[in-house]
CSV table of all heavy atoms in Angstrom, one decimal:
chain,number,residue,atom,x,y,z
A,650,MET,N,-68.5,9.1,-55.4
A,650,MET,CA,-67.9,8.2,-54.5
A,650,MET,C,-68.1,6.8,-55.0
A,650,MET,O,-69.2,6.5,-55.6
A,650,MET,CB,-68.5,8.2,-53.1
A,650,MET,CG,-68.2,9.5,-52.3
A,650,MET,SD,-66.5,9.7,-51.8
A,650,MET,CE,-66.5,8.7,-50.4
A,651,HIS,N,-67.2,5.9,-54.9
A,651,HIS,CA,-67.3,4.6,-55.3
A,651,HIS,C,-66.4,3.7,-54.3
A,651,HIS,O,-65.7,4.2,-53.5
A,651,HIS,CB,-66.8,4.4,-56.8
A,651,HIS,CG,-65.4,4.7,-57.0
A,651,HIS,ND1,-65.0,6.0,-57.1
A,651,HIS,CD2,-64.3,3.9,-57.2
A,651,HIS,CE1,-63.7,6.0,-57.3
A,651,HIS,NE2,-63.3,4.8,-57.3
A,652,SER,N,-66.6,2.4,-54.5
A,652,SER,CA,-65.8,1.5,-53.7
A,652,SER,C,-64.7,0.8,-54.4
A,652,SER,O,-64.9,-0.1,-55.2
A,652,SER,CB,-66.7,0.5,-53.0
A,652,SER,OG,-67.6,1.1,-52.2
A,653,CYS,N,-63.4,1.3,-54.3
A,653,CYS,CA,-62.3,0.8,-55.1
A,653,CYS,C,-61.7,-0.5,-54.6
A,653,CYS,O,-61.2,-1.3,-55.3
A,653,CYS,CB,-61.3,1.8,-55.1
A,653,CYS,SG,-60.4,2.2,-53.5
A,654,ARG,N,-61.8,-0.6,-53.2
A,654,ARG,CA,-61.2,-1.8,-52.5
A,654,ARG,C,-59.6,-1.8,-52.7
A,654,ARG,O,-59.0,-2.9,-52.7
A,654,ARG,CB,-61.8,-3.2,-53.0
A,654,ARG,CG,-63.3,-3.3,-52.6
A,654,ARG,CD,-63.8,-4.6,-53.0
A,654,ARG,NE,-65.2,-4.7,-52.7
A,654,ARG,CZ,-65.9,-5.7,-52.9
A,654,ARG,NH1,-65.5,-6.8,-53.5
A,654,ARG,NH2,-67.3,-5.7,-52.6
A,655,GLU,N,-59.1,-0.7,-53.0
A,655,GLU,CA,-57.6,-0.6,-53.2
A,655,GLU,C,-57.0,0.5,-52.5
A,655,GLU,O,-55.8,0.7,-52.6
A,655,GLU,CB,-57.4,-0.4,-54.7
A,655,GLU,CG,-57.8,-1.5,-55.6
A,655,GLU,CD,-57.5,-1.3,-57.1
A,655,GLU,OE1,-56.9,-0.2,-57.4
A,655,GLU,OE2,-58.0,-2.1,-58.0
A,656,GLY,N,-57.8,1.2,-51.6
A,656,GLY,CA,-57.2,2.2,-50.8
A,656,GLY,C,-57.0,3.5,-51.5
A,656,GLY,O,-56.1,4.3,-51.1
A,657,ILE,N,-57.8,3.8,-52.5
A,657,ILE,CA,-57.6,5.0,-53.3
A,657,ILE,C,-58.8,6.0,-53.3
A,657,ILE,O,-58.7,7.2,-53.6
A,657,ILE,CB,-57.1,4.8,-54.7
A,657,ILE,CG1,-58.1,3.9,-55.4
A,657,ILE,CG2,-55.8,4.1,-54.8
A,657,ILE,CD1,-57.8,3.7,-56.9
A,658,CYS,N,-60.0,5.5,-53.0
A,658,CYS,CA,-61.2,6.4,-53.2
A,658,CYS,C,-61.7,7.0,-51.9
A,658,CYS,O,-62.3,8.0,-51.9
A,658,CYS,CB,-62.4,5.6,-53.7
A,658,CYS,SG,-63.2,4.4,-52.6
A,659,GLY,N,-61.4,6.4,-50.8
A,659,GLY,CA,-61.8,6.9,-49.5
A,659,GLY,C,-63.2,6.5,-48.9
A,659,GLY,O,-63.6,7.0,-47.9
A,660,ALA,N,-63.9,5.7,-49.7
A,660,ALA,CA,-65.3,5.4,-49.4
A,660,ALA,C,-65.4,4.6,-48.0
A,660,ALA,O,-66.4,4.6,-47.4
A,660,ALA,CB,-66.0,4.7,-50.5
A,661,CYS,N,-64.4,3.9,-47.7
A,661,CYS,CA,-64.5,3.0,-46.6
A,661,CYS,C,-63.9,3.5,-45.2
A,661,CYS,O,-63.5,2.7,-44.3
A,661,CYS,CB,-63.9,1.6,-46.9
A,661,CYS,SG,-62.2,1.7,-47.2
A,662,GLU,N,-63.6,4.8,-45.1
A,662,GLU,CA,-62.9,5.4,-44.0
A,662,GLU,C,-63.7,5.2,-42.8
A,662,GLU,O,-64.9,5.4,-42.7
A,662,GLU,CB,-62.7,6.9,-44.2
A,662,GLU,CG,-61.9,7.5,-43.1
A,662,GLU,CD,-61.6,9.0,-43.5
A,662,GLU,OE1,-62.3,9.5,-44.3
A,662,GLU,OE2,-60.7,9.5,-42.9
A,663,VAL,N,-63.0,4.7,-41.7
A,663,VAL,CA,-63.6,4.5,-40.4
A,663,VAL,C,-62.7,5.0,-39.3
A,663,VAL,O,-61.5,5.0,-39.4
A,663,VAL,CB,-63.8,2.9,-40.2
A,663,VAL,CG1,-64.3,2.6,-38.8
A,663,VAL,CG2,-64.8,2.4,-41.2
A,664,ARG,N,-63.3,5.6,-38.2
A,664,ARG,CA,-62.6,6.1,-37.1
A,664,ARG,C,-62.0,5.0,-36.2
A,664,ARG,O,-62.8,4.0,-35.9
A,664,ARG,CB,-63.5,7.1,-36.3
A,664,ARG,CG,-62.7,8.0,-35.5
A,664,ARG,CD,-63.5,9.3,-35.1
A,664,ARG,NE,-64.7,8.8,-34.4
A,664,ARG,CZ,-64.8,9.0,-33.1
A,664,ARG,NH1,-63.9,9.5,-32.3
A,664,ARG,NH2,-66.0,8.6,-32.5
A,665,VAL,N,-60.8,5.1,-35.8
A,665,VAL,CA,-60.2,4.2,-34.9
A,665,VAL,C,-60.3,4.6,-33.5
A,665,VAL,O,-60.0,5.7,-33.2
A,665,VAL,CB,-58.7,4.0,-35.3
A,665,VAL,CG1,-58.0,3.0,-34.3
A,665,VAL,CG2,-58.6,3.5,-36.7
A,666,LEU,N,-60.9,3.8,-32.7
A,666,LEU,CA,-61.1,4.1,-31.3
A,666,LEU,C,-60.1,3.5,-30.4
A,666,LEU,O,-59.7,4.0,-29.4
A,666,LEU,CB,-62.5,3.6,-30.8
A,666,LEU,CG,-63.7,4.2,-31.6
A,666,LEU,CD1,-65.0,3.5,-31.0
A,666,LEU,CD2,-63.7,5.7,-31.4
A,667,GLU,N,-59.5,2.4,-30.8
A,667,GLU,CA,-58.5,1.7,-30.0
A,667,GLU,C,-57.7,0.8,-30.9
A,667,GLU,O,-58.2,0.2,-31.9
A,667,GLU,CB,-59.2,0.8,-28.9
A,667,GLU,CG,-58.2,0.2,-28.0
A,667,GLU,CD,-59.1,-0.7,-27.0
A,667,GLU,OE1,-60.1,-0.3,-26.5
A,667,GLU,OE2,-58.5,-1.8,-26.7
A,668,GLY,N,-56.3,0.7,-30.6
A,668,GLY,CA,-55.5,-0.2,-31.4
A,668,GLY,C,-54.6,0.7,-32.4
A,668,GLY,O,-54.8,1.9,-32.5
A,669,THR,N,-53.7,-0.1,-33.1
A,669,THR,CA,-52.8,0.6,-34.0
A,669,THR,C,-52.9,0.1,-35.4
A,669,THR,O,-52.7,-1.1,-35.7
A,669,THR,CB,-51.3,0.3,-33.5
A,669,THR,OG1,-51.1,0.7,-32.2
A,669,THR,CG2,-50.3,1.0,-34.5
A,670,PRO,N,-53.4,0.9,-36.3
A,670,PRO,CA,-53.6,0.5,-37.7
A,670,PRO,C,-52.3,0.1,-38.4
A,670,PRO,O,-51.3,0.7,-38.2
A,670,PRO,CB,-54.3,1.7,-38.3
A,670,PRO,CG,-54.8,2.6,-37.2
A,670,PRO,CD,-53.8,2.3,-36.1
A,671,ASP,N,-52.5,-0.8,-39.3
A,671,ASP,CA,-51.4,-1.1,-40.3
A,671,ASP,C,-51.9,-0.6,-41.7
A,671,ASP,O,-52.6,-1.3,-42.4
A,671,ASP,CB,-51.2,-2.7,-40.4
A,671,ASP,CG,-50.1,-3.0,-41.4
A,671,ASP,OD1,-49.3,-2.1,-41.8
A,671,ASP,OD2,-50.0,-4.2,-41.7
A,672,HIS,N,-51.6,0.7,-41.9
A,672,HIS,CA,-52.2,1.4,-43.1
A,672,HIS,C,-51.5,0.8,-44.4
A,672,HIS,O,-50.3,0.8,-44.5
A,672,HIS,CB,-51.8,2.9,-43.0
A,672,HIS,CG,-52.5,3.5,-41.8
A,672,HIS,ND1,-53.9,3.8,-41.8
A,672,HIS,CD2,-52.0,4.0,-40.6
A,672,HIS,CE1,-54.1,4.3,-40.6
A,672,HIS,NE2,-53.0,4.5,-39.9
A,673,ARG,N,-52.4,0.5,-45.4
A,673,ARG,CA,-51.9,0.1,-46.7
A,673,ARG,C,-52.6,0.9,-47.8
A,673,ARG,O,-52.7,0.4,-48.9
A,673,ARG,CB,-52.2,-1.4,-46.8
A,673,ARG,CG,-51.4,-2.2,-45.8
A,673,ARG,CD,-51.6,-3.7,-45.9
A,673,ARG,NE,-50.9,-4.3,-44.8
A,673,ARG,CZ,-51.1,-5.5,-44.5
A,673,ARG,NH1,-51.9,-6.3,-45.2
A,673,ARG,NH2,-50.5,-6.1,-43.5
A,674,ASP,N,-53.3,2.0,-47.4
A,674,ASP,CA,-54.0,2.9,-48.4
A,674,ASP,C,-53.0,3.8,-49.1
A,674,ASP,O,-51.8,4.0,-48.6
A,674,ASP,CB,-55.1,3.6,-47.8
A,674,ASP,CG,-54.6,4.6,-46.7
A,674,ASP,OD1,-54.2,5.8,-47.1
A,674,ASP,OD2,-54.5,4.2,-45.6
A,675,SER,N,-53.5,4.5,-50.1
A,675,SER,CA,-52.7,5.5,-50.8
A,675,SER,C,-53.3,7.0,-50.6
A,675,SER,O,-53.1,7.8,-51.4
A,675,SER,CB,-52.7,5.2,-52.3
A,675,SER,OG,-52.1,3.9,-52.5
A,676,ILE,N,-54.1,7.1,-49.5
A,676,ILE,CA,-54.8,8.3,-49.2
A,676,ILE,C,-54.1,9.2,-48.1
A,676,ILE,O,-53.9,10.4,-48.3
A,676,ILE,CB,-56.3,8.0,-48.9
A,676,ILE,CG1,-57.0,7.2,-50.0
A,676,ILE,CG2,-57.0,9.3,-48.6
A,676,ILE,CD1,-58.2,6.6,-49.7
A,677,LEU,N,-54.0,8.5,-47.0
A,677,LEU,CA,-53.4,9.2,-45.8
A,677,LEU,C,-52.0,9.7,-46.0
A,677,LEU,O,-51.2,9.0,-46.6
A,677,LEU,CB,-53.5,8.4,-44.6
A,677,LEU,CG,-54.9,7.9,-44.1
A,677,LEU,CD1,-54.8,6.9,-42.9
A,677,LEU,CD2,-55.7,9.1,-43.7
A,678,SER,N,-51.7,10.9,-45.4
A,678,SER,CA,-50.3,11.4,-45.4
A,678,SER,C,-49.6,10.5,-44.3
A,678,SER,O,-50.1,9.8,-43.5
A,678,SER,CB,-50.2,12.8,-45.0
A,678,SER,OG,-50.7,13.0,-43.7
A,679,ASP,N,-48.2,10.7,-44.3
A,679,ASP,CA,-47.4,10.0,-43.3
A,679,ASP,C,-47.8,10.4,-41.9
A,679,ASP,O,-47.9,9.6,-41.0
A,679,ASP,CB,-45.9,10.2,-43.5
A,679,ASP,CG,-45.5,9.5,-44.8
A,679,ASP,OD1,-46.1,8.6,-45.3
A,679,ASP,OD2,-44.3,9.9,-45.3
A,680,ALA,N,-48.1,11.7,-41.8
A,680,ALA,CA,-48.5,12.2,-40.4
A,680,ALA,C,-49.9,11.6,-40.0
A,680,ALA,O,-50.1,11.3,-38.8
A,680,ALA,CB,-48.6,13.7,-40.5
A,681,GLU,N,-50.8,11.6,-41.0
A,681,GLU,CA,-52.1,11.0,-40.6
A,681,GLU,C,-51.9,9.5,-40.3
A,681,GLU,O,-52.7,9.0,-39.4
A,681,GLU,CB,-53.1,11.1,-41.8
A,681,GLU,CG,-53.5,12.6,-42.0
A,681,GLU,CD,-54.2,12.9,-43.3
A,681,GLU,OE1,-53.9,12.2,-44.3
A,681,GLU,OE2,-55.1,13.7,-43.3
A,682,LYS,N,-51.1,8.8,-41.0
A,682,LYS,CA,-50.9,7.4,-40.7
A,682,LYS,C,-50.3,7.2,-39.3
A,682,LYS,O,-50.7,6.3,-38.6
A,682,LYS,CB,-50.0,6.8,-41.8
A,682,LYS,CG,-50.7,6.6,-43.1
A,682,LYS,CD,-49.8,6.0,-44.1
A,682,LYS,CE,-50.5,5.8,-45.5
A,682,LYS,NZ,-49.6,5.3,-46.5
A,683,GLN,N,-49.4,8.1,-39.0
A,683,GLN,CA,-48.7,8.0,-37.7
A,683,GLN,C,-49.8,8.3,-36.6
A,683,GLN,O,-49.7,7.7,-35.5
A,683,GLN,CB,-47.6,9.1,-37.6
A,683,GLN,CG,-46.8,9.1,-36.4
A,683,GLN,CD,-45.9,7.8,-36.2
A,683,GLN,OE1,-45.5,7.2,-37.3
A,683,GLN,NE2,-45.7,7.3,-35.1
A,684,ALA,N,-50.7,9.2,-36.9
A,684,ALA,CA,-51.7,9.6,-35.8
A,684,ALA,C,-52.6,8.5,-35.5
A,684,ALA,O,-53.1,8.3,-34.4
A,684,ALA,CB,-52.5,10.8,-36.3
A,685,GLY,N,-52.9,7.6,-36.5
A,685,GLY,CA,-53.8,6.4,-36.4
A,685,GLY,C,-55.1,6.7,-35.9
A,685,GLY,O,-55.8,5.8,-35.3
A,686,LYS,N,-55.7,7.8,-36.3
A,686,LYS,CA,-57.1,8.1,-35.9
A,686,LYS,C,-58.2,7.6,-36.9
A,686,LYS,O,-59.3,7.5,-36.5
A,686,LYS,CB,-57.3,9.6,-35.7
A,686,LYS,CG,-56.3,10.2,-34.7
A,686,LYS,CD,-56.9,11.3,-34.0
A,686,LYS,CE,-55.9,11.9,-33.0
A,686,LYS,NZ,-56.0,11.3,-31.7
A,687,THR,N,-57.8,7.2,-38.1
A,687,THR,CA,-58.7,6.7,-39.1
A,687,THR,C,-58.0,5.6,-39.9
A,687,THR,O,-56.8,5.5,-39.9
A,687,THR,CB,-59.2,7.9,-40.0
A,687,THR,OG1,-60.2,7.4,-40.8
A,687,THR,CG2,-58.0,8.4,-40.8
A,688,ILE,N,-58.9,4.8,-40.5
A,688,ILE,CA,-58.4,3.6,-41.3
A,688,ILE,C,-59.3,3.4,-42.4
A,688,ILE,O,-60.5,3.6,-42.4
A,688,ILE,CB,-58.3,2.4,-40.3
A,688,ILE,CG1,-57.6,1.3,-41.1
A,688,ILE,CG2,-59.6,1.9,-39.9
A,688,ILE,CD1,-57.3,0.0,-40.2
A,689,PHE,N,-58.7,2.9,-43.6
A,689,PHE,CA,-59.5,2.5,-44.7
A,689,PHE,C,-59.5,1.0,-44.7
A,689,PHE,O,-58.5,0.4,-45.0
A,689,PHE,CB,-58.9,3.1,-46.0
A,689,PHE,CG,-58.9,4.6,-46.0
A,689,PHE,CD1,-57.9,5.3,-45.6
A,689,PHE,CD2,-60.1,5.2,-46.5
A,689,PHE,CE1,-57.9,6.8,-45.6
A,689,PHE,CE2,-60.2,6.6,-46.5
A,689,PHE,CZ,-59.1,7.3,-46.0
A,690,VAL,N,-60.7,0.5,-44.3
A,690,VAL,CA,-60.8,-0.9,-43.9
A,690,VAL,C,-60.7,-1.9,-45.1
A,690,VAL,O,-60.6,-3.1,-44.9
A,690,VAL,CB,-62.1,-1.2,-43.1
A,690,VAL,CG1,-61.9,-0.5,-41.7
A,690,VAL,CG2,-63.3,-0.7,-43.8
A,691,CYS,N,-60.9,-1.4,-46.4
A,691,CYS,CA,-60.8,-2.3,-47.5
A,691,CYS,C,-59.4,-2.9,-47.7
A,691,CYS,O,-59.4,-4.0,-48.3
A,691,CYS,CB,-61.2,-1.5,-48.8
A,691,CYS,SG,-60.0,-0.3,-49.3
A,692,CYS,N,-58.4,-2.2,-47.2
A,692,CYS,CA,-57.1,-2.7,-47.5
A,692,CYS,C,-56.1,-2.8,-46.4
A,692,CYS,O,-55.0,-3.3,-46.4
A,692,CYS,CB,-56.5,-1.9,-48.7
A,692,CYS,SG,-56.3,-0.1,-48.2
A,693,SER,N,-56.5,-2.1,-45.3
A,693,SER,CA,-55.6,-2.0,-44.2
A,693,SER,C,-55.9,-3.0,-43.1
A,693,SER,O,-56.9,-3.7,-43.1
A,693,SER,CB,-55.6,-0.5,-43.6
A,693,SER,OG,-55.2,0.4,-44.5
A,694,GLY,N,-55.1,-3.1,-42.1
A,694,GLY,CA,-55.2,-4.1,-41.0
A,694,GLY,C,-54.8,-3.5,-39.6
A,694,GLY,O,-54.9,-2.3,-39.5
A,695,SER,N,-54.5,-4.4,-38.8
A,695,SER,CA,-54.1,-4.0,-37.4
A,695,SER,C,-52.8,-4.5,-37.0
A,695,SER,O,-52.4,-5.6,-37.3
A,695,SER,CB,-55.2,-4.5,-36.4
A,695,SER,OG,-54.8,-4.2,-35.1
A,696,LYS,N,-52.0,-3.7,-36.4
A,696,LYS,CA,-50.7,-4.1,-35.8
A,696,LYS,C,-50.9,-4.6,-34.5
A,696,LYS,O,-49.9,-5.2,-33.8
A,696,LYS,CB,-49.7,-2.9,-35.8
A,696,LYS,CG,-49.3,-2.5,-37.2
A,696,LYS,CD,-48.3,-1.3,-37.1
A,696,LYS,CE,-47.8,-0.9,-38.5
A,696,LYS,NZ,-46.9,0.3,-38.5
A,697,THR,N,-52.0,-4.4,-33.9
A,697,THR,CA,-52.2,-4.9,-32.5
A,697,THR,C,-53.3,-6.0,-32.6
A,697,THR,O,-54.0,-6.2,-33.5
A,697,THR,CB,-52.8,-3.8,-31.6
A,697,THR,OG1,-53.9,-3.1,-32.3
A,697,THR,CG2,-51.7,-2.7,-31.3
A,698,SER,N,-53.3,-6.9,-31.5
A,698,SER,CA,-54.2,-8.0,-31.5
A,698,SER,C,-55.7,-7.6,-31.4
A,698,SER,O,-56.6,-8.3,-31.7
A,698,SER,CB,-53.8,-9.0,-30.4
A,698,SER,OG,-53.9,-8.3,-29.1
A,699,ARG,N,-55.9,-6.4,-30.8
A,699,ARG,CA,-57.2,-5.9,-30.7
A,699,ARG,C,-57.3,-4.5,-31.3
A,699,ARG,O,-56.5,-3.6,-31.1
A,699,ARG,CB,-57.6,-5.8,-29.2
A,699,ARG,CG,-59.0,-5.2,-28.9
A,699,ARG,CD,-59.2,-5.1,-27.4
A,699,ARG,NE,-60.2,-4.2,-27.0
A,699,ARG,CZ,-61.5,-4.5,-26.9
A,699,ARG,NH1,-62.0,-5.7,-27.3
A,699,ARG,NH2,-62.3,-3.6,-26.5
A,700,MET,N,-58.4,-4.3,-32.1
A,700,MET,CA,-58.6,-3.0,-32.7
A,700,MET,C,-60.2,-2.7,-32.6
A,700,MET,O,-60.9,-3.6,-32.9
A,700,MET,CB,-58.2,-2.9,-34.1
A,700,MET,CG,-58.6,-1.6,-34.8
A,700,MET,SD,-57.8,-1.4,-36.5
A,700,MET,CE,-56.2,-0.8,-35.9
A,701,VAL,N,-60.5,-1.5,-32.1
A,701,VAL,CA,-61.9,-1.1,-31.9
A,701,VAL,C,-62.2,0.0,-33.0
A,701,VAL,O,-61.4,1.0,-33.0
A,701,VAL,CB,-62.2,-0.6,-30.5
A,701,VAL,CG1,-63.7,-0.2,-30.4
A,701,VAL,CG2,-61.9,-1.7,-29.5
A,702,LEU,N,-63.2,-0.2,-33.8
A,702,LEU,CA,-63.5,0.8,-34.8
A,702,LEU,C,-64.9,1.4,-34.5
A,702,LEU,O,-65.7,0.7,-34.0
A,702,LEU,CB,-63.5,0.1,-36.2
A,702,LEU,CG,-62.2,-0.6,-36.6
A,702,LEU,CD1,-62.5,-1.3,-38.0
A,702,LEU,CD2,-61.1,0.4,-36.7
A,703,ASP,N,-65.1,2.6,-34.9
A,703,ASP,CA,-66.4,3.3,-34.8
A,703,ASP,C,-67.2,3.0,-36.0
A,703,ASP,O,-67.3,3.8,-36.9
A,703,ASP,CB,-66.1,4.8,-34.6
A,703,ASP,CG,-67.4,5.6,-34.3
A,703,ASP,OD1,-68.4,5.0,-34.0
A,703,ASP,OD2,-67.3,6.8,-34.4
A,704,LEU,N,-67.9,1.9,-36.1
A,704,LEU,CA,-68.8,1.5,-37.1
A,704,LEU,C,-70.2,2.1,-37.1
A,704,LEU,O,-70.7,2.2,-36.0
A,704,LEU,CB,-68.8,0.0,-37.3
A,704,LEU,CG,-67.4,-0.7,-37.5
A,704,LEU,CD1,-67.6,-2.2,-37.5
A,704,LEU,CD2,-66.8,-0.2,-38.8
B,1446,LIG,S1,-63.0,1.2,-50.8
B,1446,LIG,FE1,-61.9,2.7,-51.7
B,1446,LIG,S2,-60.5,3.2,-50.1
B,1446,LIG,FE2,-61.5,1.5,-49.4
């Protein structure tokens, strides 16, 4: 494992508890992105004004 900061290694995966992620990684499938249950915080953001993460 390493920290790529480019959305390709998966080291920074965090569970999403609330909010809609703006996925910019190259790891999740389209279905996983649509589900919005996890986010790679090095490169992705939020489509909603509030997002709660399981840190
Ligand atoms: S640091 Fe590699 S996916 Fe985020």
Side-chain angles (χ1 to χ4, degrees):
M650 294 291 282
H651 62 283
S652 296
C653 65
R654 297 184 180 177
E655 295 178 6
I657 58 174
C658 76
C661 64
E662 185 174 17
V663 175
R664 199 159 59 101
V665 176
L666 301 177
E667 183 182 321
T669 303
D671 182 11
H672 297 288
R673 297 179 188 168
D674 64 86
S675 301
I676 300 168
L677 295 176
S678 67
D679 289 344
E681 290 170 326
K682 289 178 178 177
Q683 185 70 29
K686 301 212 181 272
T687 188
I688 188 172
F689 295 93
V690 294
C691 68
C692 60
S693 299
S695 177
K696 291 182 177 175
T697 50
S698 59
R699 174 181 162 86
M700 175 170 276
V701 180
L702 302 176
D703 185 15
L704 299 176

